Amino acid sequence: MKRNFINQNGVSDKFWNIEYLGKTQKIVFGKTGTQGRETIKEFEDEVECTKESEKLIGQKIKKGYTEILENDKIPQKTELSETEKADIYFWEAIEKSNKYKKAHWSEYDIDEHLENLTVYLSRFGKERLILFEKTLQEKLSELYTAEIAELSIILESDFKTENGNYIFDGYLSDDGFIYFRCWLLLKGKEFFQDIKQDIQAFVSGKYSFNIGDCWAEGLLYVSDEAYSENHDNEDESEIRDTVDELYPENHYDSMNRNMNREPKNGVDLQKMYPKLVKEIGELRST
């Protein structure tokens, strides 16, 4: 039995071929277009060889590999742009460093996530860290909207209740809103996309968060902290300084940025987001 697989998802362009006969299993794998590496393994009997080979095949399919017929030509992978690669690298780093993305909110720790992210990023060179920082600033800018500001107000601002209505005072700290957006980014790509479309996705049941700790200021510094692990880092801001020089228009903290509209507050938020305000209001009132 011989089966051939490829993975051309995201930045990947790899092949993985397996052949098993009797007690012998042979695997050839590597980057598409190369001869790859070969491994040969002997099992105690044919049954075990088949079982373990099929288990490996299942694992590869779960990881995004697709099967091709032996005589089929491997398709030419479409080259990704720098922006597309950077987006993949960014979310891959955020999600691979979060060991508790499917756990209950009580098991998640922001500081641990940031420490893991720093360690993960420290494996890469300056160019990759610059891409991470550039993408971080772009994502923070994408979240600079009235809707996200209103989510911050609902989760963090003081409020009172009158006749069953929640009335929010609407105060929004400039720095605090940056740290809040950092916290949102640490929740991963799927959440980022959902929350941009509708902030009431926050209470969709798909996600579990500790709303008592909604700031993640440390995300602003992980690229430089990662770089400092293996390099001299003047003022501990070489990566951020480089991004500011290369992409000054992307800066998330610019005073010249304008939201799409003025954020609402008071009782208007309950009218706009009834499900979100009801659930969060009840939770914050306990």
Side-chain angles (χ1 to χ4, degrees):
M1 174 70 72
K2 183 176 182 180
R3 299 178 69 179
N4 305 312
F5 298 83
I6 59 170
N7 185 345
Q8 294 185 325
N9 297 318
V11 295
S12 297
D13 191 11
K14 301 178 288 187
F15 72 91
W16 185 83
N17 302 333
I18 185 169
E19 184 174 3
Y20 51 101
L21 181 64
K23 298 188 296 183
T24 304
Q25 176 196 82
K26 182 173 77 171
I27 294 174
V28 182
F29 63 97
K31 182 176 175 58
T32 300
T34 68
Q35 289 186 340
R37 294 171 54 192
E38 180 180 296
T39 64
I40 297 177
K41 186 174 181 180
E42 294 289 334
F43 292 87
E44 290 187 2
D45 53 48
E46 183 176 354
V47 173
E48 184 183 7
C49 180
T50 300
K51 179 181 177 181
E52 291 301 315
S53 297
E54 291 178 350
K55 180 180 178 181
L56 286 176
I57 289 170
Q59 291 173 348
K60 289 297 178 182
I61 291 173
K62 285 184 178 179
K63 290 182 179 180
Y65 281 80
T66 57
E67 188 167 7
I68 60 172
L69 298 178
E70 186 172 358
N71 295 324
D72 283 354
K73 185 177 180 180
I74 296 178
Q76 184 72 32
K77 179 177 170 60
T78 303
E79 186 64 28
L80 298 177
S81 67
E82 180 187 83
T83 300
E84 289 172 325
K85 289 180 181 178
D87 191 77
I88 291 169
Y89 292 148
F90 178 81
W91 290 118
E92 183 178 80
I94 294 290
E95 294 177 5
K96 284 191 173 181
S97 57
N98 182 7
K99 297 181 179 180
Y100 302 101
K101 51 181 172 285
K102 293 185 178 180
H104 186 264
W105 64 262
S106 61
E107 299 179 45
Y108 176 78
D109 183 87
I110 292 174
D111 291 335
E112 182 181 358
H113 190 177
L114 292 171
E115 288 172 6
N116 292 339
L117 179 58
T118 301
V119 171
Y120 178 87
L121 290 173
S122 68
R123 302 183 300 168
F124 303 106
K126 186 174 182 179
E127 182 178 349
R128 180 83 164 256
L129 292 173
I130 289 171
L131 285 179
F132 178 89
E133 179 65 26
K134 171 180 177 285
T135 307
L136 168 62
Q137 295 190 14
E138 289 172 346
K139 300 302 180 189
L140 288 171
S141 294
E142 286 184 55
L143 292 177
Y144 190 76
T145 68
E147 292 78 11
I148 299 300
E150 288 158 354
L151 177 61
S152 175
I153 291 168
I154 293 167
L155 292 177
E156 301 184 285
S157 290
D158 291 336
F159 68 93
K160 60 183 179 180
T161 56
E162 291 182 0
N163 300 319
N165 294 317
Y166 292 90
I167 304 171
F168 297 87
D169 72 6
Y171 174 72
L172 196 66
S173 158
D174 289 340
D175 287 343
F177 188 44
I178 294 173
Y179 307 155
F180 176 75
R181 285 177 282 154
C182 288
W183 180 73
L184 296 179
L185 289 178
L186 285 179
K187 307 310 168 192
K189 183 177 182 179
E190 183 180 5
F191 174 75
F192 173 79
Q193 293 173 333
D194 284 350
I195 213 71
K196 278 181 58 183
Q197 185 173 353
D198 181 3
I199 65 170
Q200 292 198 106
F202 196 90
V203 290
S204 65
K206 290 171 63 177
Y207 308 103
S208 176
F209 304 137
N210 176 10
I211 63 170
D213 188 6
C214 298
W215 285 8
E217 178 185 1
L219 183 60
L220 301 176
Y221 312 110
V222 292
S223 57
D224 273 295
E225 290 177 356
Y227 186 68
S228 297
E229 291 288 326
N230 303 302
H231 304 85
D232 291 331
N233 190 351
E234 186 175 354
D235 298 327
E236 297 185 343
S237 61
E238 185 167 339
I239 301 299
R240 281 172 290 152
D241 290 345
T242 301
V243 171
D244 289 346
E245 292 170 7
L246 294 175
Y247 312 100
E249 71 282 359
N250 288 339
H251 207 275
Y252 59 89
D253 202 17
S254 171
M255 297 295 292
N256 297 321
R257 302 198 70 82
N258 292 308
M259 286 187 183
N260 50 319
R261 61 172 172 78
E262 283 294 316
K264 302 291 186 180
N265 56 59
V267 74
D268 288 337
L269 293 177
Q270 187 166 351
K271 296 176 182 177
M272 295 173 67
Y273 312 110
K275 176 178 173 61
L276 176 65
V277 169
K278 182 177 184 296
E279 292 196 25
I280 297 300
E282 290 176 353
L283 190 60
R284 293 186 61 192
S285 298
T286 57

